[in-house]
PDB file of all heavy atoms in Angstrom:
ATOM      1  N   GLY A   1      20.647 -37.880 -44.654  1.00 87.00           N
ATOM      2  CA  GLY A   1      20.265 -36.506 -44.345  1.00 87.00           C
ATOM      3  C   GLY A   1      21.249 -35.847 -43.388  1.00 87.00           C
ATOM      4  O   GLY A   1      21.609 -34.673 -43.563  1.00 87.00           O
ATOM      5  N   LYS A   2      21.706 -36.599 -42.406  1.00 84.00           N
ATOM      6  CA  LYS A   2      22.690 -36.058 -41.447  1.00 84.00           C
ATOM      7  C   LYS A   2      24.025 -35.794 -42.126  1.00 84.00           C
ATOM      8  O   LYS A   2      24.700 -34.801 -41.833  1.00 84.00           O
ATOM      9  CB  LYS A   2      22.867 -37.030 -40.278  1.00 84.00           C
ATOM     10  CG  LYS A   2      21.686 -37.048 -39.317  1.00 84.00           C
ATOM     11  CD  LYS A   2      21.979 -37.913 -38.095  1.00 84.00           C
ATOM     12  CE  LYS A   2      20.844 -37.845 -37.087  1.00 84.00           C
ATOM     13  NZ  LYS A   2      21.116 -38.667 -35.890  1.00 84.00           N
ATOM     14  N   MET A   3      24.430 -36.684 -43.036  1.00 87.00           N
ATOM     15  CA  MET A   3      25.693 -36.491 -43.748  1.00 87.00           C
ATOM     16  C   MET A   3      25.645 -35.226 -44.609  1.00 87.00           C
ATOM     17  O   MET A   3      26.603 -34.461 -44.671  1.00 87.00           O
ATOM     18  CB  MET A   3      25.997 -37.699 -44.638  1.00 87.00           C
ATOM     19  CG  MET A   3      26.319 -38.976 -43.885  1.00 87.00           C
ATOM     20  SD  MET A   3      27.857 -38.900 -42.956  1.00 87.00           S
ATOM     21  CE  MET A   3      29.048 -38.844 -44.265  1.00 87.00           C
ATOM     22  N   VAL A   4      24.515 -35.009 -45.279  1.00 86.00           N
ATOM     23  CA  VAL A   4      24.370 -33.838 -46.150  1.00 86.00           C
ATOM     24  C   VAL A   4      24.329 -32.562 -45.314  1.00 86.00           C
ATOM     25  O   VAL A   4      24.872 -31.528 -45.703  1.00 86.00           O
ATOM     26  CB  VAL A   4      23.107 -33.975 -47.026  1.00 86.00           C
ATOM     27  CG1 VAL A   4      22.814 -32.692 -47.771  1.00 86.00           C
ATOM     28  CG2 VAL A   4      23.282 -35.133 -48.007  1.00 86.00           C
ATOM     29  N   ARG A   5      23.700 -32.636 -44.159  1.00 82.00           N
ATOM     30  CA  ARG A   5      23.656 -31.458 -43.277  1.00 82.00           C
ATOM     31  C   ARG A   5      25.064 -31.091 -42.809  1.00 82.00           C
ATOM     32  O   ARG A   5      25.413 -29.920 -42.674  1.00 82.00           O
ATOM     33  CB  ARG A   5      22.761 -31.767 -42.068  1.00 82.00           C
ATOM     34  CG  ARG A   5      22.629 -30.590 -41.124  1.00 82.00           C
ATOM     35  CD  ARG A   5      21.847 -30.954 -39.873  1.00 82.00           C
ATOM     36  NE  ARG A   5      21.954 -29.873 -38.903  1.00 82.00           N
ATOM     37  CZ  ARG A   5      21.900 -30.045 -37.596  1.00 82.00           C
ATOM     38  NH1 ARG A   5      21.757 -31.243 -37.085  1.00 82.00           N
ATOM     39  NH2 ARG A   5      21.996 -29.014 -36.781  1.00 82.00           N
ATOM     40  N   ALA A   6      25.896 -32.115 -42.598  1.00 82.00           N
ATOM     41  CA  ALA A   6      27.255 -31.873 -42.097  1.00 82.00           C
ATOM     42  C   ALA A   6      28.195 -31.409 -43.207  1.00 82.00           C
ATOM     43  O   ALA A   6      29.196 -30.754 -42.930  1.00 82.00           O
ATOM     44  CB  ALA A   6      27.808 -33.146 -41.442  1.00 82.00           C
ATOM     45  N   ASP A   7      27.895 -31.741 -44.467  1.00 85.00           N
ATOM     46  CA  ASP A   7      28.808 -31.442 -45.577  1.00 85.00           C
ATOM     47  C   ASP A   7      28.069 -30.686 -46.681  1.00 85.00           C
ATOM     48  O   ASP A   7      27.351 -31.284 -47.483  1.00 85.00           O
ATOM     49  CB  ASP A   7      29.372 -32.761 -46.129  1.00 85.00           C
ATOM     50  CG  ASP A   7      30.422 -32.546 -47.214  1.00 85.00           C
ATOM     51  OD1 ASP A   7      30.547 -31.398 -47.692  1.00 85.00           O
ATOM     52  OD2 ASP A   7      31.101 -33.512 -47.589  1.00 85.00           O
ATOM     53  N   PRO A   8      28.218 -29.356 -46.746  1.00 85.00           N
ATOM     54  CA  PRO A   8      27.476 -28.566 -47.740  1.00 85.00           C
ATOM     55  C   PRO A   8      27.878 -28.851 -49.185  1.00 85.00           C
ATOM     56  O   PRO A   8      27.198 -28.388 -50.100  1.00 85.00           O
ATOM     57  CB  PRO A   8      27.829 -27.114 -47.377  1.00 85.00           C
ATOM     58  CG  PRO A   8      28.396 -27.165 -46.002  1.00 85.00           C
ATOM     59  CD  PRO A   8      29.016 -28.509 -45.851  1.00 85.00           C
ATOM     60  N   SER A   9      28.982 -29.590 -49.420  1.00 85.00           N
ATOM     61  CA  SER A   9      29.340 -29.915 -50.805  1.00 85.00           C
ATOM     62  C   SER A   9      28.653 -31.201 -51.266  1.00 85.00           C
ATOM     63  O   SER A   9      28.853 -31.643 -52.395  1.00 85.00           O
ATOM     64  CB  SER A   9      30.860 -30.047 -50.954  1.00 85.00           C
ATOM     65  OG  SER A   9      31.362 -31.088 -50.167  1.00 85.00           O
ATOM     66  N   LEU A  10      27.830 -31.794 -50.410  1.00 89.00           N
ATOM     67  CA  LEU A  10      26.962 -32.908 -50.802  1.00 89.00           C
ATOM     68  C   LEU A  10      25.557 -32.373 -51.041  1.00 89.00           C
ATOM     69  O   LEU A  10      25.121 -31.430 -50.377  1.00 89.00           O
ATOM     70  CB  LEU A  10      26.897 -33.962 -49.689  1.00 89.00           C
ATOM     71  CG  LEU A  10      28.117 -34.863 -49.474  1.00 89.00           C
ATOM     72  CD1 LEU A  10      27.928 -35.688 -48.208  1.00 89.00           C
ATOM     73  CD2 LEU A  10      28.352 -35.780 -50.666  1.00 89.00           C
ATOM     74  N   LEU A  11      24.858 -32.991 -51.987  1.00 88.00           N
ATOM     75  CA  LEU A  11      23.493 -32.573 -52.294  1.00 88.00           C
ATOM     76  C   LEU A  11      22.661 -33.833 -52.493  1.00 88.00           C
ATOM     77  O   LEU A  11      23.085 -34.769 -53.177  1.00 88.00           O
ATOM     78  CB  LEU A  11      23.487 -31.716 -53.568  1.00 88.00           C
ATOM     79  CG  LEU A  11      22.205 -30.954 -53.892  1.00 88.00           C
ATOM     80  CD1 LEU A  11      21.904 -29.922 -52.821  1.00 88.00           C
ATOM     81  CD2 LEU A  11      22.344 -30.252 -55.248  1.00 88.00           C
ATOM     82  N   LEU A  12      21.492 -33.852 -51.892  1.00 89.00           N
ATOM     83  CA  LEU A  12      20.618 -35.020 -51.972  1.00 89.00           C
ATOM     84  C   LEU A  12      19.335 -34.624 -52.693  1.00 89.00           C
ATOM     85  O   LEU A  12      18.739 -33.589 -52.385  1.00 89.00           O
ATOM     86  CB  LEU A  12      20.296 -35.499 -50.546  1.00 89.00           C
ATOM     87  CG  LEU A  12      19.829 -36.938 -50.357  1.00 89.00           C
ATOM     88  CD1 LEU A  12      20.867 -37.921 -50.876  1.00 89.00           C
ATOM     89  CD2 LEU A  12      19.539 -37.195 -48.887  1.00 89.00           C
ATOM     90  N   GLU A  13      18.915 -35.419 -53.665  1.00 84.00           N
ATOM     91  CA  GLU A  13      17.663 -35.129 -54.368  1.00 84.00           C
ATOM     92  C   GLU A  13      17.052 -36.423 -54.874  1.00 84.00           C
ATOM     93  O   GLU A  13      17.697 -37.479 -54.891  1.00 84.00           O
ATOM     94  CB  GLU A  13      17.894 -34.141 -55.518  1.00 84.00           C
ATOM     95  CG  GLU A  13      18.950 -34.574 -56.507  1.00 84.00           C
ATOM     96  CD  GLU A  13      19.312 -33.459 -57.483  1.00 84.00           C
ATOM     97  OE1 GLU A  13      19.529 -32.316 -57.050  1.00 84.00           O
ATOM     98  OE2 GLU A  13      19.389 -33.772 -58.681  1.00 84.00           O
ATOM     99  N   THR A  14      15.815 -36.338 -55.298  1.00 82.00           N
ATOM    100  CA  THR A  14      15.108 -37.510 -55.828  1.00 82.00           C
ATOM    101  C   THR A  14      14.848 -37.306 -57.313  1.00 82.00           C
ATOM    102  O   THR A  14      14.356 -36.244 -57.722  1.00 82.00           O
ATOM    103  CB  THR A  14      13.767 -37.716 -55.090  1.00 82.00           C
ATOM    104  OG1 THR A  14      14.020 -37.847 -53.692  1.00 82.00           O
ATOM    105  CG2 THR A  14      13.058 -38.962 -55.589  1.00 82.00           C
ATOM    106  N   ASP A  15      15.201 -38.298 -58.124  1.00 71.00           N
ATOM    107  CA  ASP A  15      14.942 -38.230 -59.565  1.00 71.00           C
ATOM    108  C   ASP A  15      13.427 -38.300 -59.782  1.00 71.00           C
ATOM    109  O   ASP A  15      12.772 -39.263 -59.377  1.00 71.00           O
ATOM    110  CB  ASP A  15      15.636 -39.392 -60.280  1.00 71.00           C
ATOM    111  CG  ASP A  15      15.550 -39.261 -61.795  1.00 71.00           C
ATOM    112  OD1 ASP A  15      14.434 -39.407 -62.324  1.00 71.00           O
ATOM    113  OD2 ASP A  15      16.590 -39.006 -62.431  1.00 71.00           O
ATOM    114  N   ARG A  16      12.886 -37.265 -60.444  1.00 64.00           N
ATOM    115  CA  ARG A  16      11.427 -37.176 -60.592  1.00 64.00           C
ATOM    116  C   ARG A  16      10.854 -38.286 -61.465  1.00 64.00           C
ATOM    117  O   ARG A  16       9.685 -38.624 -61.357  1.00 64.00           O
ATOM    118  CB  ARG A  16      11.057 -35.805 -61.169  1.00 64.00           C
ATOM    119  CG  ARG A  16      11.069 -34.702 -60.127  1.00 64.00           C
ATOM    120  CD  ARG A  16      10.889 -33.333 -60.739  1.00 64.00           C
ATOM    121  NE  ARG A  16      12.080 -32.911 -61.482  1.00 64.00           N
ATOM    122  CZ  ARG A  16      12.229 -31.707 -62.007  1.00 64.00           C
ATOM    123  NH1 ARG A  16      11.271 -30.821 -61.896  1.00 64.00           N
ATOM    124  NH2 ARG A  16      13.333 -31.389 -62.655  1.00 64.00           N
ATOM    125  N   GLU A  17      11.663 -38.857 -62.353  1.00 57.00           N
ATOM    126  CA  GLU A  17      11.152 -39.892 -63.255  1.00 57.00           C
ATOM    127  C   GLU A  17      11.287 -41.286 -62.664  1.00 57.00           C
ATOM    128  O   GLU A  17      10.377 -42.087 -62.724  1.00 57.00           O
ATOM    129  CB  GLU A  17      11.884 -39.818 -64.591  1.00 57.00           C
ATOM    130  CG  GLU A  17      11.510 -38.592 -65.413  1.00 57.00           C
ATOM    131  CD  GLU A  17      11.876 -38.770 -66.872  1.00 57.00           C
ATOM    132  OE1 GLU A  17      12.730 -39.623 -67.166  1.00 57.00           O
ATOM    133  OE2 GLU A  17      11.298 -38.073 -67.717  1.00 57.00           O
ATOM    134  N   THR A  18      12.466 -41.585 -62.102  1.00 62.00           N
ATOM    135  CA  THR A  18      12.724 -42.955 -61.633  1.00 62.00           C
ATOM    136  C   THR A  18      12.436 -43.137 -60.154  1.00 62.00           C
ATOM    137  O   THR A  18      12.314 -44.269 -59.685  1.00 62.00           O
ATOM    138  CB  THR A  18      14.197 -43.340 -61.891  1.00 62.00           C
ATOM    139  OG1 THR A  18      15.039 -42.494 -61.085  1.00 62.00           O
ATOM    140  CG2 THR A  18      14.556 -43.157 -63.354  1.00 62.00           C
ATOM    141  N   GLY A  19      12.376 -42.017 -59.397  1.00 70.00           N
ATOM    142  CA  GLY A  19      12.179 -42.126 -57.953  1.00 70.00           C
ATOM    143  C   GLY A  19      13.445 -42.484 -57.195  1.00 70.00           C
ATOM    144  O   GLY A  19      13.422 -42.666 -55.980  1.00 70.00           O
ATOM    145  N   GLN A  20      14.583 -42.607 -57.909  1.00 80.00           N
ATOM    146  CA  GLN A  20      15.840 -42.954 -57.248  1.00 80.00           C
ATOM    147  C   GLN A  20      16.357 -41.793 -56.396  1.00 80.00           C
ATOM    148  O   GLN A  20      16.128 -40.624 -56.696  1.00 80.00           O
ATOM    149  CB  GLN A  20      16.910 -43.283 -58.293  1.00 80.00           C
ATOM    150  CG  GLN A  20      16.752 -44.625 -58.970  1.00 80.00           C
ATOM    151  CD  GLN A  20      17.886 -44.859 -59.957  1.00 80.00           C
ATOM    152  OE1 GLN A  20      18.124 -44.037 -60.839  1.00 80.00           O
ATOM    153  NE2 GLN A  20      18.582 -45.978 -59.826  1.00 80.00           N
ATOM    154  N   THR A  21      17.066 -42.147 -55.325  1.00 87.00           N
ATOM    155  CA  THR A  21      17.747 -41.140 -54.509  1.00 87.00           C
ATOM    156  C   THR A  21      19.092 -40.833 -55.155  1.00 87.00           C
ATOM    157  O   THR A  21      19.894 -41.740 -55.399  1.00 87.00           O
ATOM    158  CB  THR A  21      17.965 -41.653 -53.070  1.00 87.00           C
ATOM    159  OG1 THR A  21      16.687 -41.943 -52.494  1.00 87.00           O
ATOM    160  CG2 THR A  21      18.672 -40.612 -52.218  1.00 87.00           C
ATOM    161  N   ILE A  22      19.340 -39.574 -55.457  1.00 86.00           N
ATOM    162  CA  ILE A  22      20.575 -39.148 -56.131  1.00 86.00           C
ATOM    163  C   ILE A  22      21.444 -38.372 -55.137  1.00 86.00           C
ATOM    164  O   ILE A  22      20.982 -37.421 -54.500  1.00 86.00           O
ATOM    165  CB  ILE A  22      20.267 -38.259 -57.357  1.00 86.00           C
ATOM    166  CG1 ILE A  22      19.315 -38.983 -58.328  1.00 86.00           C
ATOM    167  CG2 ILE A  22      21.564 -37.849 -58.053  1.00 86.00           C
ATOM    168  CD1 ILE A  22      19.881 -40.254 -58.933  1.00 86.00           C
ATOM    169  N   LEU A  23      22.692 -38.787 -55.008  1.00 90.00           N
ATOM    170  CA  LEU A  23      23.647 -38.101 -54.133  1.00 90.00           C
ATOM    171  C   LEU A  23      24.683 -37.423 -55.023  1.00 90.00           C
ATOM    172  O   LEU A  23      25.324 -38.065 -55.851  1.00 90.00           O
ATOM    173  CB  LEU A  23      24.329 -39.100 -53.194  1.00 90.00           C
ATOM    174  CG  LEU A  23      25.320 -38.519 -52.177  1.00 90.00           C
ATOM    175  CD1 LEU A  23      24.609 -37.636 -51.165  1.00 90.00           C
ATOM    176  CD2 LEU A  23      26.069 -39.640 -51.450  1.00 90.00           C
ATOM    177  N   ARG A  24      24.844 -36.119 -54.850  1.00 86.00           N
ATOM    178  CA  ARG A  24      25.814 -35.356 -55.638  1.00 86.00           C
ATOM    179  C   ARG A  24      26.981 -34.952 -54.751  1.00 86.00           C
ATOM    180  O   ARG A  24      26.795 -34.639 -53.578  1.00 86.00           O
ATOM    181  CB  ARG A  24      25.172 -34.102 -56.242  1.00 86.00           C
ATOM    182  CG  ARG A  24      23.998 -34.381 -57.157  1.00 86.00           C
ATOM    183  CD  ARG A  24      23.555 -33.121 -57.882  1.00 86.00           C
ATOM    184  NE  ARG A  24      22.357 -33.352 -58.684  1.00 86.00           N
ATOM    185  CZ  ARG A  24      22.364 -33.896 -59.881  1.00 86.00           C
ATOM    186  NH1 ARG A  24      23.499 -34.261 -60.438  1.00 86.00           N
ATOM    187  NH2 ARG A  24      21.243 -34.078 -60.554  1.00 86.00           N
ATOM    188  N   GLY A  25      28.196 -34.950 -55.336  1.00 85.00           N
ATOM    189  CA  GLY A  25      29.386 -34.588 -54.569  1.00 85.00           C
ATOM    190  C   GLY A  25      30.492 -34.057 -55.461  1.00 85.00           C
ATOM    191  O   GLY A  25      30.283 -33.756 -56.644  1.00 85.00           O
ATOM    192  N   MET A  26      31.704 -33.967 -54.887  1.00 80.00           N
ATOM    193  CA  MET A  26      32.823 -33.323 -55.573  1.00 80.00           C
ATOM    194  C   MET A  26      33.714 -34.286 -56.350  1.00 80.00           C
ATOM    195  O   MET A  26      34.615 -33.855 -57.058  1.00 80.00           O
ATOM    196  CB  MET A  26      33.687 -32.568 -54.558  1.00 80.00           C
ATOM    197  CG  MET A  26      32.941 -31.484 -53.793  1.00 80.00           C
ATOM    198  SD  MET A  26      32.054 -30.327 -54.856  1.00 80.00           S
ATOM    199  CE  MET A  26      33.424 -29.579 -55.740  1.00 80.00           C
ATOM    200  N   GLY A  27      33.501 -35.600 -56.195  1.00 79.00           N
ATOM    201  CA  GLY A  27      34.336 -36.553 -56.917  1.00 79.00           C
ATOM    202  C   GLY A  27      34.005 -37.969 -56.500  1.00 79.00           C
ATOM    203  O   GLY A  27      33.250 -38.209 -55.548  1.00 79.00           O
ATOM    204  N   GLU A  28      34.585 -38.946 -57.218  1.00 81.00           N
ATOM    205  CA  GLU A  28      34.313 -40.352 -56.914  1.00 81.00           C
ATOM    206  C   GLU A  28      34.708 -40.708 -55.486  1.00 81.00           C
ATOM    207  O   GLU A  28      33.968 -41.377 -54.761  1.00 81.00           O
ATOM    208  CB  GLU A  28      35.069 -41.250 -57.904  1.00 81.00           C
ATOM    209  CG  GLU A  28      34.481 -41.268 -59.310  1.00 81.00           C
ATOM    210  CD  GLU A  28      35.262 -42.176 -60.244  1.00 81.00           C
ATOM    211  OE1 GLU A  28      36.259 -41.703 -60.828  1.00 81.00           O
ATOM    212  OE2 GLU A  28      34.879 -43.352 -60.383  1.00 81.00           O
ATOM    213  N   LEU A  29      35.896 -40.256 -55.060  1.00 82.00           N
ATOM    214  CA  LEU A  29      36.373 -40.573 -53.711  1.00 82.00           C
ATOM    215  C   LEU A  29      35.464 -39.964 -52.654  1.00 82.00           C
ATOM    216  O   LEU A  29      35.156 -40.598 -51.639  1.00 82.00           O
ATOM    217  CB  LEU A  29      37.811 -40.069 -53.532  1.00 82.00           C
ATOM    218  CG  LEU A  29      38.455 -40.348 -52.170  1.00 82.00           C
ATOM    219  CD1 LEU A  29      38.546 -41.859 -51.920  1.00 82.00           C
ATOM    220  CD2 LEU A  29      39.835 -39.715 -52.072  1.00 82.00           C
ATOM    221  N   HIS A  30      35.013 -38.750 -52.890  1.00 87.00           N
ATOM    222  CA  HIS A  30      34.111 -38.064 -51.957  1.00 87.00           C
ATOM    223  C   HIS A  30      32.852 -38.894 -51.721  1.00 87.00           C
ATOM    224  O   HIS A  30      32.422 -39.108 -50.566  1.00 87.00           O
ATOM    225  CB  HIS A  30      33.755 -36.692 -52.544  1.00 87.00           C
ATOM    226  CG  HIS A  30      32.965 -35.817 -51.627  1.00 87.00           C
ATOM    227  ND1 HIS A  30      32.141 -34.821 -52.083  1.00 87.00           N
ATOM    228  CD2 HIS A  30      32.864 -35.782 -50.283  1.00 87.00           C
ATOM    229  CE1 HIS A  30      31.579 -34.206 -51.062  1.00 87.00           C
ATOM    230  NE2 HIS A  30      32.004 -34.775 -49.960  1.00 87.00           N
ATOM    231  N   LEU A  31      32.252 -39.398 -52.817  1.00 88.00           N
ATOM    232  CA  LEU A  31      31.019 -40.180 -52.698  1.00 88.00           C
ATOM    233  C   LEU A  31      31.286 -41.549 -52.073  1.00 88.00           C
ATOM    234  O   LEU A  31      30.493 -42.037 -51.261  1.00 88.00           O
ATOM    235  CB  LEU A  31      30.367 -40.327 -54.077  1.00 88.00           C
ATOM    236  CG  LEU A  31      29.923 -39.006 -54.722  1.00 88.00           C
ATOM    237  CD1 LEU A  31      29.423 -39.249 -56.138  1.00 88.00           C
ATOM    238  CD2 LEU A  31      28.850 -38.327 -53.894  1.00 88.00           C
ATOM    239  N   GLU A  32      32.409 -42.168 -52.431  1.00 88.00           N
ATOM    240  CA  GLU A  32      32.773 -43.469 -51.831  1.00 88.00           C
ATOM    241  C   GLU A  32      32.935 -43.339 -50.325  1.00 88.00           C
ATOM    242  O   GLU A  32      32.433 -44.177 -49.552  1.00 88.00           O
ATOM    243  CB  GLU A  32      34.092 -43.974 -52.437  1.00 88.00           C
ATOM    244  CG  GLU A  32      33.969 -44.618 -53.795  1.00 88.00           C
ATOM    245  CD  GLU A  32      35.342 -44.965 -54.356  1.00 88.00           C
ATOM    246  OE1 GLU A  32      36.280 -45.162 -53.564  1.00 88.00           O
ATOM    247  OE2 GLU A  32      35.485 -45.023 -55.595  1.00 88.00           O
ATOM    248  N   VAL A  33      33.654 -42.314 -49.900  1.00 88.00           N
ATOM    249  CA  VAL A  33      33.907 -42.110 -48.464  1.00 88.00           C
ATOM    250  C   VAL A  33      32.596 -41.825 -47.733  1.00 88.00           C
ATOM    251  O   VAL A  33      32.370 -42.316 -46.622  1.00 88.00           O
ATOM    252  CB  VAL A  33      34.921 -40.964 -48.257  1.00 88.00           C
ATOM    253  CG1 VAL A  33      34.937 -40.510 -46.806  1.00 88.00           C
ATOM    254  CG2 VAL A  33      36.315 -41.410 -48.681  1.00 88.00           C
ATOM    255  N   THR A  34      31.714 -41.048 -48.355  1.00 89.00           N
ATOM    256  CA  THR A  34      30.418 -40.743 -47.727  1.00 89.00           C
ATOM    257  C   THR A  34      29.634 -42.014 -47.463  1.00 89.00           C
ATOM    258  O   THR A  34      29.085 -42.214 -46.368  1.00 89.00           O
ATOM    259  CB  THR A  34      29.595 -39.801 -48.636  1.00 89.00           C
ATOM    260  OG1 THR A  34      30.318 -38.578 -48.805  1.00 89.00           O
ATOM    261  CG2 THR A  34      28.239 -39.508 -48.026  1.00 89.00           C
ATOM    262  N   LEU A  35      29.594 -42.911 -48.452  1.00 90.00           N
ATOM    263  CA  LEU A  35      28.866 -44.173 -48.281  1.00 90.00           C
ATOM    264  C   LEU A  35      29.536 -45.061 -47.236  1.00 90.00           C
ATOM    265  O   LEU A  35      28.855 -45.729 -46.444  1.00 90.00           O
ATOM    266  CB  LEU A  35      28.779 -44.897 -49.633  1.00 90.00           C
ATOM    267  CG  LEU A  35      27.410 -45.501 -49.979  1.00 90.00           C
ATOM    268  CD1 LEU A  35      26.335 -44.430 -49.983  1.00 90.00           C
ATOM    269  CD2 LEU A  35      27.437 -46.212 -51.306  1.00 90.00           C
ATOM    270  N   ASP A  36      30.869 -45.055 -47.214  1.00 88.00           N
ATOM    271  CA  ASP A  36      31.603 -45.857 -46.229  1.00 88.00           C
ATOM    272  C   ASP A  36      31.363 -45.331 -44.815  1.00 88.00           C
ATOM    273  O   ASP A  36      31.271 -46.101 -43.852  1.00 88.00           O
ATOM    274  CB  ASP A  36      33.099 -45.836 -46.565  1.00 88.00           C
ATOM    275  CG  ASP A  36      33.854 -46.978 -45.887  1.00 88.00           C
ATOM    276  OD1 ASP A  36      33.216 -48.006 -45.573  1.00 88.00           O
ATOM    277  OD2 ASP A  36      35.065 -46.834 -45.651  1.00 88.00           O
ATOM    278  N   ARG A  37      31.246 -44.004 -44.677  1.00 87.00           N
ATOM    279  CA  ARG A  37      31.000 -43.428 -43.361  1.00 87.00           C
ATOM    280  C   ARG A  37      29.599 -43.766 -42.845  1.00 87.00           C
ATOM    281  O   ARG A  37      29.380 -43.829 -41.634  1.00 87.00           O
ATOM    282  CB  ARG A  37      31.200 -41.907 -43.407  1.00 87.00           C
ATOM    283  CG  ARG A  37      32.664 -41.508 -43.524  1.00 87.00           C
ATOM    284  CD  ARG A  37      32.827 -40.014 -43.597  1.00 87.00           C
ATOM    285  NE  ARG A  37      32.371 -39.356 -42.377  1.00 87.00           N
ATOM    286  CZ  ARG A  37      32.301 -38.033 -42.238  1.00 87.00           C
ATOM    287  NH1 ARG A  37      32.647 -37.244 -43.246  1.00 87.00           N
ATOM    288  NH2 ARG A  37      31.891 -37.504 -41.104  1.00 87.00           N
ATOM    289  N   LEU A  38      28.642 -43.994 -43.741  1.00 88.00           N
ATOM    290  CA  LEU A  38      27.321 -44.446 -43.297  1.00 88.00           C
ATOM    291  C   LEU A  38      27.442 -45.771 -42.555  1.00 88.00           C
ATOM    292  O   LEU A  38      26.758 -46.010 -41.554  1.00 88.00           O
ATOM    293  CB  LEU A  38      26.380 -44.610 -44.494  1.00 88.00           C
ATOM    294  CG  LEU A  38      25.958 -43.338 -45.243  1.00 88.00           C
ATOM    295  CD1 LEU A  38      25.033 -43.700 -46.399  1.00 88.00           C
ATOM    296  CD2 LEU A  38      25.273 -42.352 -44.323  1.00 88.00           C
ATOM    297  N   ARG A  39      28.354 -46.620 -43.052  1.00 88.00           N
ATOM    298  CA  ARG A  39      28.562 -47.926 -42.409  1.00 88.00           C
ATOM    299  C   ARG A  39      29.211 -47.782 -41.039  1.00 88.00           C
ATOM    300  O   ARG A  39      28.761 -48.391 -40.061  1.00 88.00           O
ATOM    301  CB  ARG A  39      29.432 -48.809 -43.316  1.00 88.00           C
ATOM    302  CG  ARG A  39      29.838 -50.137 -42.699  1.00 88.00           C
ATOM    303  CD  ARG A  39      30.774 -50.912 -43.613  1.00 88.00           C
ATOM    304  NE  ARG A  39      32.009 -50.195 -43.891  1.00 88.00           N
ATOM    305  CZ  ARG A  39      33.050 -50.179 -43.049  1.00 88.00           C
ATOM    306  NH1 ARG A  39      33.001 -50.826 -41.895  1.00 88.00           N
ATOM    307  NH2 ARG A  39      34.152 -49.521 -43.379  1.00 88.00           N
ATOM    308  N   THR A  40      30.267 -46.954 -40.950  1.00 84.00           N
ATOM    309  CA  THR A  40      31.026 -46.878 -39.697  1.00 84.00           C
ATOM    310  C   THR A  40      30.367 -45.976 -38.653  1.00 84.00           C
ATOM    311  O   THR A  40      30.491 -46.217 -37.457  1.00 84.00           O
ATOM    312  CB  THR A  40      32.456 -46.373 -39.965  1.00 84.00           C
ATOM    313  OG1 THR A  40      32.397 -45.104 -40.630  1.00 84.00           O
ATOM    314  CG2 THR A  40      33.224 -47.353 -40.826  1.00 84.00           C
ATOM    315  N   GLU A  41      29.659 -44.933 -39.100  1.00 84.00           N
ATOM    316  CA  GLU A  41      29.096 -43.977 -38.148  1.00 84.00           C
ATOM    317  C   GLU A  41      27.627 -44.214 -37.829  1.00 84.00           C
ATOM    318  O   GLU A  41      27.154 -43.866 -36.753  1.00 84.00           O
ATOM    319  CB  GLU A  41      29.282 -42.546 -38.667  1.00 84.00           C
ATOM    320  CG  GLU A  41      30.748 -42.132 -38.751  1.00 84.00           C
ATOM    321  CD  GLU A  41      30.945 -40.765 -39.401  1.00 84.00           C
ATOM    322  OE1 GLU A  41      30.012 -39.936 -39.347  1.00 84.00           O
ATOM    323  OE2 GLU A  41      32.031 -40.538 -39.965  1.00 84.00           O
TER     324      GLU A  41
END
């Protein structure tokens, strides 16, 4: 939630059928870096 608040090109939502958390972004690298920053920050 904090990452999405800091980066308006990220979008967080829940899949209504599966209940999975879906993270939307601008590219593969963008999403990889976001997940890596969760670890470091």
Side-chain angles (χ1 to χ4, degrees):
K2 287 186 176 181
M3 292 293 292
V4 171
R5 182 185 170 209
D7 185 348
S9 62
L10 286 172
L11 192 64
L12 201 59
E13 55 190 47
T14 303
D15 188 291
R16 281 172 288 186
E17 289 199 340
T18 65
Q20 285 181 306
T21 300
I22 305 297
L23 182 66
R24 301 189 185 279
M26 300 308 296
E28 287 180 274
L29 181 62
H30 187 205
L31 297 174
E32 281 175 26
V33 166
T34 299
L35 224 58
D36 199 25
R37 288 179 64 186
L38 292 180
R39 174 184 60 81
T40 57
E41 295 174 26

